[in-house]
Amino acid sequence: MSQLIAKVLMASRAQHLDQLFDYMVPEDIVTSLQIGARVVVPFQGQLNLAYVWELTDHSDFSSLKSVRQLIDSPPLLTRTQYQLIDWLADYYFCSRADVIQLCLPPGAKQTRRDGFRLAASPESIREQLISAGFQEDISQKVYQLLTAATEAQWTRSKWQKEFQALGVIWEWLLRSKLLLPITEIAKPRISSKTIRVYRWNLPALDDRNPAGIRVKNVLLQHPQGMAGPELAAAAEVSAAVIKRLLNQGKIDCSLQKIERIPVGFTPVETDGTHKVQFNPEQQTVLDTFKSSSSRLFLLHGVTGSGKTEVYFEAAAEALRRGLQVLYLVPEIALTPQTLARARNRFGDQVALLHSNMSDGERYDQWFKVKNGQANFLLGARSAVFAPFTKLGLVIVDEEHETTYKQEETPRYHTRRVVEQLSEITGAKAIFGSATPELESFFAAQTGRYQYLELTRRYNDQSLPEVAVVDMREELRNGNRNILSRVLHQSIADNLANNEQVILLLNRRGYATFILCRDCGQVLKCPSCDVALIYHANDKVLRCHYCDYRQKMPDTCPKCHSSRIRYFGHGTQKLEEEMAQNFPQARLIRMDLDSTSKKGAHQEIYQKLVQGEFDILLGTQMIAKGLDLPRVTLVGVITADSSLNLPDFRAAERTFHLLTQVAGRAGRGTKPGRVIFQTYNPAHYALKYAQHHDYLGFYQEELAQRRELSFPPFTELFRFGFSSIRSVKVSAAAEEFCRILREQQAKIATARPHEESGLPQVIEILGPAPALIPKVQDRFRWQILVKAGEPAVLRELVQSTWSLFPFRKFPEVQIFRDRNPYAI
Ligand code: ADP
Ligand code: ZN
Ligand code: ZN
């Protein structure tokens, strides 16, 4: 019989360990060891945690070491997960370890602990020390140390330090192998939660004590067992009684696994009150979806057209066939409503995964998916890495949202990962939005996605009327207020009619900057190159990049003038002004500050659905997904606030946001109205949003992208550089760019023409300081590459990366960002 070899990947994020190492698989675990399992292997004189990546019967190396221990059987990672890991690491130029982190249940990261074992008794060691010529008092001290430590303490670093302090003796003990180094893999931090459950042992057994009789009666009524505290309460006995009965063998105790229930998982009544009746458009979309052999679909439907009902029907179909469904939403803010709808429809099949849950809750949900107990997973971005075993459908709701792009390593885009997941598993995927991202719409136009469309609102309610107010005009007419007169009047009318209002202001905090009237100094974060934002509720200045906080100073730190003033409006100030203007109105503010506490979203959401508000105001969070039928007015305080960002997607972002928020108005029986306030009324993003004209916007924007060679006509790539030393970061970026240009020239001569007619590497932009040149004390630079052809881009990135002298710049961090969003 040939020997089984495991090729393993070390559980380490070190770059040089991103390769497979060969180990022999011992006889006793040959049958239970599977790909994706974790093992302990000896590596460079230590024990390491590793993942089995391949199993083979051949190795190019001789004298292999053996796998020491198998940790999971069945394996922790699923087949799909590690295929995805391999692909993602390659596509996004990161290490597999970076991706594995996302695929594991919380707390699965097991750490190694190094320690020592005694090879002889403390007495014998003392004798040996003395006979080796060490002084008696020192040998005695060692003896005391050795006897004082328990076995467990050998692995503690404090204890090791005490020994290391002994210097020569320590060395001698190691050399003479009286102390043996050992490594342990620490227990996982999180595991399933269990409680003790009690049962009456035999109905024939009796107790003469009245308390014991009560316990018996209660337990006989609960044959499935009861937890200690409940039993004590129901039988009105103390813990001591339970303990006595247990000792006498009259009751039995066993451990039972319980599920930690996330917020929002209140029991639901699936009473089926909501009758689904598809309109002809929905029916056509569903028929096309079901009969089509395509895997990737774009569902383009105006807000309120019934996309969610279509998703649910497609999901129900997959569940009926015994397949799993992944339903992705861009932000937790959306989850309460979608969660409630999903739980109503699919009951206990629904699992939930997002970062605002406790580790224990996530752990339980993760295993419910893995074990196939929950087949409908609702989650944010990272849920795409959940351990599916029979995935049939992925839904990406509001697919145009930027939160689908992860802005730290691995810098993946969820849509791209879903495409790959579909490729691996054969699952169908629906990307849905009222305003598809331009690149997705382009994919549908060019046939990469199959296009599905819903053109009308489900209730046939027309889309709301949008008015644009020129705020320069308001100023000229002497109105310095944050509200234009027409918006002010409309709010008042709405309140009088007992109808609800949504106000969007895409800036949190109170004032957006603090300026000295005398010297013009703007108060900035000491670690980041950005203005500090005043937060009124805790009366502090805060940095929105690093969360630095300081008290509002009384005088200017530069010229000591007391004429320092707040400027700009944030949501807190808007809230204050609304309270002054409309004192009788019930206000709810929704932004990162008001929703960051665990469960806060859920609380706000409860108030929203129960209609306990008159004005809901907040950042872009409120623009998405909320389905509140009594909202008939939407006001956008500054519609052009995101237009001036130096980002080629700025117009698109603005168009999406305005269209989405406008779609919140008039979802019930009464028609809605929308008011955009702006200083830039002529901008095309605003005009198309005003007329709900997606296609018009798409065409104009696409023409610009073509003109400027931006995606989807090219692929964009970003190299980011950061360091606490400003000179180092610019030097590294410049050196990098020099090599990049050299390689570009080389590639261009090697492959002069391609069929596409596009030059292979169109442009290298930079190096230049990033938009915010300093964040958390780190200076940041970047280089952008626009490439016509992915293969050429890959060659360029890889050759430059392999030639760059990283050793010359030890304090500079460099990352690679494929298809970057934050430019
Ligand atoms: P979207 O996701 O496109 O914004 P929704 O699916 O939330 O739209 O639908 C808007 C409203 O219309 C919701 O209240 C929904 O319950 C209702 N609705 C949509 N389609 C149907 C249907 N086929 N039968 C009954 N109600 C529907
Ligand atoms: Zn000043
Ligand atoms: Zn800061």
Side-chain angles (χ1 to χ4, degrees):
M1 206 192 101
S2 68
Q3 172 63 47
L4 188 65
I5 310 282
K7 291 183 175 292
V8 309
L9 182 73
M10 298 301 161
S12 156
R13 295 182 79 162
Q15 280 266 329
H16 68 284
L17 292 183
D18 192 20
Q19 51 174 301
L20 300 181
F21 295 91
D22 295 3
Y23 286 87
M24 292 209 284
V25 179
E27 212 48 48
D28 57 324
I29 56 170
V30 162
T31 48
S32 43
L33 187 80
Q34 289 176 49
I35 292 178
R38 288 174 304 170
V39 288
V40 178
V41 293
F43 183 71
Q44 295 177 344
Q46 300 172 325
L47 290 182
N48 255 17
L49 194 63
Y51 301 91
V52 177
W53 219 255
E54 284 170 33
L55 288 171
T56 162
D57 55 11
H58 161 84
S59 172
D60 295 335
F61 303 92
S62 54
S63 71
L64 294 180
K65 292 191 177 133
S66 288
V67 170
R68 198 59 78 72
Q69 189 192 335
L70 169 62
I71 296 189
D72 350 88
S73 172
L76 192 65
L77 294 177
T78 66
R79 208 159 259 276
T80 304
Q81 281 179 309
Y82 69 83
Q83 282 179 277
L84 200 58
I85 293 166
D86 272 338
W87 170 81
L88 201 140
D90 178 66
Y91 187 85
Y92 285 107
F93 302 95
C94 60
S95 73
R96 282 175 283 210
D98 290 334
V99 194
I100 290 178
Q101 309 302 319
L102 300 169
C103 294
L104 295 174
K109 196 179 129 204
Q110 280 167 313
T111 45
R112 208 186 57 213
R113 276 207 312 224
D114 297 324
F116 294 90
R117 197 162 56 79
L118 292 192
S121 71
E123 291 84 24
S124 138
I125 290 180
R126 180 178 53 184
E127 313 274 272
Q128 294 189 45
L129 280 172
I130 293 171
S131 49
F134 288 101
Q135 281 172 3
E136 191 123 349
D137 55 336
I138 288 187
S139 304
Q140 181 61 24
K141 194 170 165 222
V142 172
Y143 170 78
Q144 278 165 356
L145 267 177
L146 293 180
T147 43
T150 67
E151 189 122 358
Q153 283 173 319
W154 288 107
T155 54
R156 303 246 170 91
S157 54
K158 170 184 161 281
W159 203 257
Q160 288 176 35
K161 282 210 196 83
E162 291 216 32
F163 268 108
Q164 271 150 1
L166 296 172
V168 199
I169 299 193
W170 169 256
E171 307 268 306
W172 187 85
L173 285 171
L174 283 178
R175 238 182 307 118
S176 34
K177 299 209 184 321
L178 289 168
L179 270 186
L180 301 173
I182 55 160
T183 305
E184 289 183 347
I185 303 293
K187 283 217 173 62
R189 198 164 43 83
I190 314 267
S191 57
S192 38
K193 185 170 174 179
T194 52
I195 54 166
R196 289 168 186 280
V197 172
Y198 299 94
R199 285 186 192 79
W200 193 260
N201 218 342
L202 276 174
L205 280 179
D206 264 324
D207 197 70
R208 256 179 289 155
N209 183 297
I213 295 169
R214 288 202 300 278
V215 170
K216 177 175 177 179
N217 289 338
V218 168
L219 283 183
L220 288 184
Q221 279 166 22
H222 293 89
Q224 75 289 0
M226 269 182 113
E230 278 99 80
L231 173 60
E236 297 173 33
V237 298
S238 67
V241 174
I242 297 179
K243 194 163 171 208
R244 171 179 66 81
L245 292 168
L246 191 64
N247 288 340
Q248 295 172 344
K250 290 181 178 166
I251 58 178
D252 242 1
C253 170
S254 60
L255 288 177
Q256 198 171 74
K257 208 164 120 186
I258 58 160
E259 187 188 334
R260 284 152 286 200
I261 308 292
V263 181
F265 256 60
T266 44
V268 285
E269 323 82 54
T270 21
D271 60 352
T273 44
H274 179 63
K275 284 273 176 296
V276 180
Q277 177 95 57
F278 294 114
N279 64 22
E281 268 197 339
Q282 285 176 316
Q283 199 56 58
T284 308
V285 162
L286 280 164
D287 291 344
T288 314
F289 172 76
K290 284 180 192 170
S291 60
S292 168
S293 59
S294 310
R295 278 192 289 100
L296 307 177
F297 298 85
L298 177 67
L299 176 55
H300 182 194
V302 296
T303 50
S305 58
K307 292 186 293 299
T308 311
E309 298 296 343
V310 169
Y311 301 147
F312 280 4
E313 182 53 32
E317 165 85 11
L319 292 172
R320 276 196 292 275
R321 301 210 327 265
L323 299 174
Q324 290 175 311
V325 176
L326 169 63
Y327 192 123
L328 293 170
V329 290
E331 242 173 292
I332 313 156
L334 274 178
T335 326
Q337 188 154 23
T338 316
L339 177 61
R341 273 173 91 168
R343 293 256 300 164
N344 247 304
R345 179 81 183 251
F346 302 114
D348 284 334
Q349 300 214 64
V350 177
L352 180 70
L353 269 183
H354 59 71
S355 57
N356 213 13
M357 290 160 63
S358 75
D359 280 353
E361 290 164 358
R362 279 193 293 137
Y363 181 95
D364 289 347
Q365 299 293 315
W366 194 94
F367 277 100
K368 267 167 65 181
V369 173
K370 174 120 199 270
N371 303 334
Q373 286 161 278
N375 285 334
F376 184 107
L377 176 62
L378 176 66
R381 180 173 74 215
S382 60
V384 74
F385 297 103
F388 302 103
T389 47
K390 40 181 183 163
L391 190 65
L393 174 68
V394 183
I395 291 150
V396 183
D397 194 8
E398 311 284 354
E399 65 87 37
H400 62 281
E401 286 293 337
T402 43
T403 44
Y404 281 125
K405 172 71 162 64
Q406 165 142 311
E407 291 300 352
E408 56 199 63
T409 309
R411 297 170 178 265
Y412 65 90
H413 195 294
T414 310
R415 209 169 40 225
R416 186 68 193 89
V417 180
V418 168
E419 287 175 7
Q420 190 60 28
L421 196 56
S422 157
E423 169 97 33
I424 293 171
T425 61
K428 285 187 170 186
I430 308 177
F431 306 106
S433 171
T435 51
E437 178 147 74
L438 185 124
E439 281 133 289
S440 305
F441 197 77
F442 186 75
Q445 297 253 297
T446 50
R448 211 158 60 76
Y449 295 168
Q450 181 162 359
Y451 186 63
L452 304 170
E453 191 180 22
L454 295 173
T455 58
R456 302 187 354 232
R457 283 186 158 185
Y458 177 72
N459 56 8
D460 260 329
Q461 187 68 260
S462 56
L463 286 166
E465 199 63 42
V466 181
V468 173
V469 179
D470 186 345
M471 292 305 277
R472 296 169 305 184
E473 196 69 25
E474 290 286 313
L475 270 178
R476 276 196 289 275
N477 290 326
N479 178 16
R480 309 196 141 271
N481 211 298
I482 188 168
L483 296 182
S484 57
R485 283 155 306 176
V486 50
L487 182 53
H488 190 282
Q489 187 56 47
S490 306
I491 295 172
D493 292 348
N494 251 55
L495 294 177
N497 293 334
N498 203 16
E499 288 171 25
Q500 294 167 328
V501 180
I502 287 182
L503 293 179
L504 172 78
L505 176 59
N506 211 3
R507 299 214 152 182
R508 65 194 173 95
Y510 185 85
T512 48
F513 62 99
I514 314 293
L515 182 97
C516 169
R517 284 236 153 128
D518 288 321
C519 75
Q521 173 85 352
V522 171
L523 296 192
K524 285 193 167 182
C525 171
S527 311
C528 312
D529 204 354
V530 294
L532 290 170
I533 312 278
Y534 180 62
H535 282 247
N537 35 4
D538 39 8
K539 296 197 169 45
V540 290
L541 298 175
R542 273 163 61 178
C543 170
H544 282 188
Y545 284 82
C546 69
D547 214 30
Y548 164 85
R549 290 152 198 248
Q550 73 170 56
K551 258 182 50 206
M552 174 74 187
D554 299 326
T555 57
C556 169
K558 197 169 154 200
C559 74
H560 305 294
S561 152
S562 59
R563 305 208 318 139
I564 49 175
R565 297 284 182 272
Y566 310 118
F567 287 89
H569 278 83
T571 43
Q572 292 178 4
K573 182 150 183 205
L574 180 64
E575 183 182 26
E576 185 182 290
E577 296 204 355
M578 288 303 115
Q580 278 163 14
N581 281 319
F582 308 102
Q584 75 287 14
R586 290 166 302 168
L587 298 173
I588 293 182
R589 194 185 92 227
M590 197 165 163
D591 54 28
L592 208 60
D593 302 310
S594 73
T595 56
S596 53
K597 252 195 17 236
K598 190 176 173 230
H601 267 300
Q602 189 66 27
E603 219 170 277
I604 290 185
Y605 169 69
Q606 281 308 331
K607 283 195 195 158
L608 293 181
V609 284
Q610 281 154 16
E612 291 168 21
F613 75 102
D614 300 304
I615 301 176
L616 166 66
L617 60 91
T619 54
Q620 33 86 26
M621 237 179 228
I622 62 170
K624 299 163 194 170
L626 290 172
D627 186 10
L628 304 167
R630 278 177 49 224
V631 172
T632 54
L633 174 66
V634 166
V636 180
I637 304 299
T638 32
D640 40 343
S641 62
S642 53
L643 271 182
N644 305 320
L645 295 174
D647 175 351
F648 74 95
R649 288 191 178 90
E652 188 185 4
R653 293 281 157 257
T654 306
F655 175 78
H656 288 166
L657 182 62
L658 294 179
T659 309
Q660 294 282 332
V661 74
R664 301 304 118 211
R667 291 173 73 98
T669 45
K670 287 196 176 166
R673 294 190 61 197
V674 179
I675 295 171
F676 295 162
Q677 301 190 153
T678 177
Y679 293 93
N680 197 355
H683 196 283
Y684 67 99
L686 240 87
K687 288 213 296 225
Y688 289 117
Q690 179 180 10
H691 298 110
H692 309 286
D693 184 3
Y694 179 85
L695 211 59
F697 176 79
Y698 170 77
Q699 280 158 351
E700 184 154 351
E701 181 70 17
L702 197 70
Q704 295 213 6
R705 300 277 182 95
R706 192 193 307 264
E707 178 94 356
L708 300 169
S709 307
F710 270 120
F713 299 103
T714 53
E715 193 168 350
L716 218 57
F717 199 93
R718 176 170 67 139
F719 296 97
F721 303 78
S722 77
S723 170
I724 46 171
R725 297 189 53 198
S726 147
V727 277
K728 292 289 175 191
V729 70
S730 54
E734 265 148 25
E735 171 95 11
F736 197 95
C737 203
R738 195 182 52 72
I739 300 172
L740 194 64
R741 288 183 198 280
E742 257 170 40
Q743 292 306 303
Q744 174 198 10
K746 220 182 208 163
I747 292 170
T749 40
R751 310 200 195 187
H753 292 290
E754 292 293 326
E755 278 171 38
S756 65
L758 283 167
Q760 298 129 346
V761 176
I762 292 179
E763 250 182 295
I764 294 175
L765 307 166
L771 172 59
I772 299 174
K774 187 177 146 202
V775 172
Q776 297 196 336
D777 289 320
R778 297 186 72 85
F779 294 89
R780 313 190 311 163
W781 279 59
Q782 64 178 26
I783 302 171
L784 276 179
V785 180
K786 284 184 200 169
E789 221 188 293
V792 174
L793 177 66
R794 165 168 291 268
E795 197 183 322
L796 180 69
V797 170
Q798 278 177 338
S799 61
T800 308
W801 196 261
S802 66
L803 291 171
F804 183 74
F806 287 94
R807 255 167 294 123
K808 263 173 69 186
F809 303 96
E811 63 266 86
V812 180
Q813 272 177 19
I814 308 179
F815 67 79
R816 286 170 284 186
D817 190 2
R818 183 168 190 170
N819 198 1
Y821 273 62
I823 298 176

